Amino acid sequence: MKELKVKTRFVCTKCGVSSPKWQGQCSHCGQWNCLIEEVLTKAPSFSHSNKRKVKPQEPALLNQQEYQSKTRNHTGMTELDRALGGGLVSGSYILLGGAPGIGKSTLLLQMAEGLAQQGLKVFYVSAEESLQQTSLRAKRLNLKDKHNIFILNETSLESIFHHVEKIKPNVLIVDSIQTVQLSELSSTSGTISQVRECAGQLMSFAKSTETTVFVIGHITKDGQLAGPRLLEHMVDTVLSFDGDPHYHFRLLRALKNRFGAVNEIGVFQMSSQGLKEVSNPSEFFLEERKETLVGSVVFTAMEGSRPLLCEIQALSLRSYLSIPRRTSIGLDINRLHMITAVLDRYLNTGLSQCDIFLNMVGGLKITEPAADMAIAKALISAKKQKPIDELSCFFGEIGLTGEIRACTFSEERIREAQKLGFKKIYLPVGNKKHLNIKKIAEKVQLQWIKSIKDLDTD
Ligand code: TYD
Ligand code: MG
């Protein structure tokens, strides 16, 4: 077969003008360091597409188009299935992002075993770790299935495709996209042009062969996934794996999913034998909660469609500084400023002269405005040194006029609190009309809160 000559050009990412060679500054828009290399003509690295003739598709009417549901495979990990929207769709292209050392390789290796046990062929390509390192990890994880998992240490995408053709796996895992490269591009691995081209080739491979492809992407210092979000557009699903390195728990979150809902989460715990699933995260986060405490409140949070009970702690002390100190761990500092101001204005709490410390227990990060009421209650309790009943929990958003605003998913939040034995739930009065009160009120006491003033009554 006649080899096609590889031609590349450099395109400005700001204005789109192309030039035949690299320049530090774009000659058209004058921006610096914005030229990336692009392949113009190339021989495809995998030959599946050569063999298969592409048939032009005929347009169809939307209501006549029969939807063929794709098969979903269970990964052997319920928490991972949940984040994927109910299992792994064959032929999907999935990006798993996360900070280095958080456990991405461990998660996918454990998943490989779950898939292999169902008879699926998994090809795990590690461009970062040697074969010994990967097999040592497999030993540590106590992986039993050794017949359907193939491992390879390779950085060249051309030779990865070469092996793929021989093995014909059902699932291909590439660890990581920043370390694989195409030799036809002159730039080094990890650069924007390499990442884009490699990801593009893997995408057409996934779509044309119905192979599920997982790519691992490292998060850059400023929190971006594998460069300036360029991968996120190409893939079907973006999973982000994060957690506080000082704690054992890890959250797997779907940020984008063409086959399911976003913001679904899976909870794991890192142990000496790899990742363990946490099927009841609320119990996990409230494990160390003592009995009745001053300044400690239980908040019923929502992560995706999953309710999660967690503890918010507050401490207030008289300040000796001209500008009192405000510290918040795991909660938005601006909301703390706002809630403090509202409490001072409507309840005369005197918190503006106090140093305030707020902590989300367990290293969780909550951005939901529904946490406002729990924060306010914790602050009132800390300031007045009044303990809060240990079997009560809170949710509701606070407005600037001191009103409590309705929140979404109130029924799910109440059910989760009931499940864990909470007896009294403080919630916005605005939620009354969305709830089937008769069904719920038998088991728990619902305390309807209209304004912030109602919080300071008991
Ligand atoms: P790893 O999967 O290599 O992270 P990533 O691929 O995201 O960089 O996991 C790295 C960390 O996990 C490492 O610090 C050690 C820890 N670990 C355990 O605590 N237990 C285990 O069984 C394994 C395999 C790893
Ligand atoms: Mg790794």
Side-chain angles (χ1 to χ4, degrees):
M1 195 179 86
K2 205 179 128 201
E3 282 256 327
L4 283 172
K5 195 166 173 271
V6 175
K7 254 194 189 169
T8 63
R9 63 172 182 178
F10 294 84
V11 182
C12 173
T13 50
K14 300 278 190 274
C15 68
V17 161
S18 64
S19 93
K21 57 180 202 300
W22 191 81
Q23 295 162 326
Q25 187 184 24
C26 173
S27 54
H28 185 254
C29 66
Q31 292 278 340
W32 289 89
N33 291 330
C34 53
L35 263 65
I36 60 164
E37 195 180 11
E38 257 186 15
V39 178
L40 283 177
T41 35
K42 60 176 183 280
S45 298
F46 62 95
S47 60
H48 289 76
S49 56
N50 297 0
K51 288 173 191 163
R52 190 182 294 192
K53 280 235 165 85
V54 182
K55 267 193 253 157
Q57 278 199 7
E58 289 298 316
L61 280 171
L62 183 63
N63 56 0
Q64 284 174 358
Q65 178 67 20
E66 253 184 56
Y67 175 69
Q68 284 184 341
S69 66
K70 294 205 171 195
T71 48
R72 282 188 188 260
N73 290 306
H74 290 287
T75 58
M77 299 167 103
T78 328
E79 293 294 302
L80 178 59
D81 286 345
R82 182 201 292 274
L84 286 169
L88 199 58
V89 177
S90 59
S92 58
Y93 187 25
I94 300 154
L95 170 68
L96 172 66
I102 208 77
K104 301 179 293 298
S105 310
T106 311
L107 178 73
L108 291 194
L109 202 57
Q110 280 182 246
M111 178 197 74
E113 200 207 12
L115 293 170
Q117 278 181 345
Q118 298 167 46
L120 294 178
K121 236 190 252 179
V122 185
F123 187 22
Y124 185 99
V125 183
S126 177
E128 294 184 347
E129 293 171 351
S130 67
L131 290 185
Q132 282 86 348
Q133 279 173 311
T134 311
S135 53
L136 251 176
R137 187 200 300 261
K139 208 169 173 186
R140 191 166 159 196
L141 297 173
N142 207 8
L143 298 194
K144 287 175 199 82
D145 200 302
K146 302 209 168 58
H147 302 292
N148 279 329
I149 306 176
F150 297 81
I151 53 171
L152 173 73
N153 172 234
E154 180 61 75
T155 54
S156 153
L157 198 61
E158 285 96 343
S159 47
I160 292 173
F161 282 131
H162 172 73
H163 292 293
V164 160
E165 268 177 45
K166 276 193 288 176
I167 296 173
K168 295 201 168 41
N170 301 96
V171 180
L172 169 69
I173 300 169
V174 180
D175 184 1
S176 66
I177 191 73
Q178 279 101 342
T179 43
V180 289
Q181 57 181 347
L182 279 165
S183 55
E184 58 209 29
L185 289 177
S186 59
S187 47
T188 53
S189 59
T191 49
I192 295 181
S193 39
Q194 279 284 5
V195 168
R196 202 167 63 158
E197 278 304 320
C198 292
Q201 294 233 351
L202 284 165
M203 176 175 74
S204 36
F205 167 71
K207 298 299 161 204
S208 62
T209 60
E210 281 288 300
T211 311
T212 308
V213 177
F214 268 92
V215 288
I216 289 182
H218 290 295
I219 285 203
T220 54
K221 245 190 244 157
D222 48 343
Q224 291 205 323
L225 244 176
R229 307 189 85 96
L230 59 101
L231 278 180
E232 294 176 33
H233 304 295
M234 287 190 206
V235 297
D236 296 317
T237 306
V238 180
L239 297 177
S240 134
F241 202 37
D242 61 354
D244 193 324
H246 302 292
Y247 294 91
H248 292 307
F249 88 90
R250 304 278 182 267
L251 286 184
L252 183 68
R253 206 184 289 268
L255 302 180
K256 165 185 172 178
N257 197 352
R258 287 185 184 146
F259 305 110
V262 284
N263 283 331
E264 285 296 344
I265 62 157
V267 186
F268 295 88
Q269 192 181 2
M270 182 60 97
S271 74
S272 54
Q273 274 111 39
L275 291 159
K276 297 240 153 64
E277 298 179 64
V278 179
S279 49
N280 47 355
S282 297
E283 276 176 37
F284 180 73
F285 288 115
L286 294 179
E287 209 171 54
E288 282 181 52
R289 190 161 189 262
K290 306 257 167 28
E291 317 77 65
T292 312
L293 287 175
V294 169
S296 153
V297 167
V298 175
F299 164 54
T300 46
M302 284 303 291
E303 287 286 354
S305 63
R306 192 174 195 185
L308 189 69
L309 266 64
C310 45
E311 183 185 350
I312 294 176
Q313 293 181 341
L315 177 69
S316 80
L317 298 165
R318 202 189 124 202
S319 181
Y320 294 96
L321 304 167
S322 53
I323 302 171
R325 197 177 160 141
R326 302 272 184 268
T327 307
S328 168
I329 301 165
L331 290 155
D332 184 8
I333 189 92
N334 288 325
R335 293 212 84 86
L336 170 61
H337 290 312
M338 189 200 88
I339 295 164
T340 318
V342 174
L343 283 174
D344 250 21
R345 185 77 183 81
Y346 296 100
L347 291 176
N348 282 324
T349 47
L351 279 165
S352 50
Q353 280 94 47
C354 293
D355 287 339
I356 297 174
F357 303 89
L358 202 62
N359 181 29
M360 191 78 232
V361 176
L364 268 175
K365 285 187 182 64
I366 298 283
T367 49
E368 252 192 304
D372 291 354
M373 198 155 89
I375 298 174
K377 186 69 186 176
L379 288 171
I380 296 170
S381 159
K383 180 71 176 73
K384 301 200 166 169
Q385 287 294 297
K386 265 200 212 161
I388 298 161
D389 175 22
E390 63 170 313
L391 291 178
S392 59
C393 59
F394 297 77
F395 68 87
E397 184 182 341
I398 294 176
L400 283 181
T401 56
E403 86 279 17
I404 307 287
R405 310 178 74 104
C407 297
T408 48
F409 296 108
S410 50
E411 206 165 320
E412 286 84 350
R413 294 181 208 255
I414 294 170
R415 271 214 203 98
E416 181 75 359
Q418 264 179 349
K419 214 164 81 187
L420 287 162
F422 284 85
K423 294 275 179 281
K424 197 168 180 182
I425 300 167
Y426 293 78
L427 68 167
V429 74
N431 277 113
K432 216 172 195 170
K433 55 179 180 285
H434 307 299
L435 281 173
N436 188 349
I437 299 164
K438 269 190 207 143
K439 236 164 121 191
I440 294 164
E442 292 163 9
K443 294 165 200 151
V444 282
Q445 188 189 341
L446 299 178
Q447 192 79 29
W448 303 103
I449 307 287
K450 197 169 171 213
S451 119
I452 200 160
K453 288 180 184 144
D454 304 340
L455 277 180
D456 197 24
T457 48
D458 47 9

